[in-house]
Amino acid sequence: MEVLRNPNNALTLGPNSANFASQHVALHPINAAQNKQQNAAPNDFSSFDHVRRTYGSGLAMTLATEVALAKECGGRLPGFDANPDSNIILDTLSGSNTMIGFGDILNLKENRVEAPKVTLHKAMEVKLGLM
């Protein structure tokens, strides 16, 4: 049996939040779908089932079409070729453009340590003493 360790915050959690039975009631299906969607990885377009169940099949089909078109054009608008690795359309569709994650700061290509690229010609020039 649980023991009340802190005072009940009725304004934040509701007047019946200290009740053991109310804490362990099954979640509403829409609440469970929203929690599942929030815990899903960004850019996860593998299933639009939660969108179909919550908002209807019309929105799910529209989003599937937009994602397919965004992947077809490379994930960016046709005039913005300065950064071809940018997937700004897919990020906007998934909502991950509003979140800052590991890949935004620590996983940039210019910060990666790479081994020096040695070609066969350069290795032979070093071996023959030409360089």
Side-chain angles (χ1 to χ4, degrees):
M1 180 164 201
E2 288 189 24
V3 178
L4 185 63
R5 305 237 183 247
N6 298 322
N8 183 18
N9 189 352
L11 292 176
T12 305
L13 304 173
N16 203 18
S17 63
N19 187 349
F20 180 74
S22 68
Q23 291 176 356
H24 297 288
V25 173
L27 295 175
H28 192 274
I30 291 183
N31 191 5
Q34 287 176 343
N35 289 340
K36 184 178 174 184
Q37 178 185 3
Q38 289 175 352
N39 295 334
N43 279 338
D44 183 23
F45 295 115
S46 59
S47 172
F48 290 105
D49 190 44
H50 64 279
V51 175
R52 184 185 57 79
R53 289 181 185 200
T54 308
Y55 302 107
S57 61
L59 182 62
M61 289 187 290
T62 303
L63 284 176
T65 304
E66 288 179 1
V67 168
L69 291 173
K71 286 181 180 178
E72 183 179 316
C73 75
R76 65 193 185 307
L77 293 174
F80 298 104
D81 293 335
N83 190 2
D85 292 338
S86 172
N87 289 323
I88 191 67
I89 296 176
L90 295 174
D91 290 344
T92 304
L93 287 174
S94 68
S96 63
N97 62 340
T98 60
M99 294 179 280
I100 297 176
F102 175 79
D104 294 328
I105 298 168
L106 298 175
N107 198 23
L108 299 175
K109 284 186 179 179
E110 58 264 13
N111 295 339
R112 294 181 189 162
V113 177
E114 294 182 5
K117 298 186 181 194
V118 179
T119 63
L120 180 64
H121 298 324
K122 286 193 179 200
M124 209 51 201
E125 288 174 355
V126 169
K127 186 176 182 180
L128 296 174
L130 299 174
M131 281 196 73

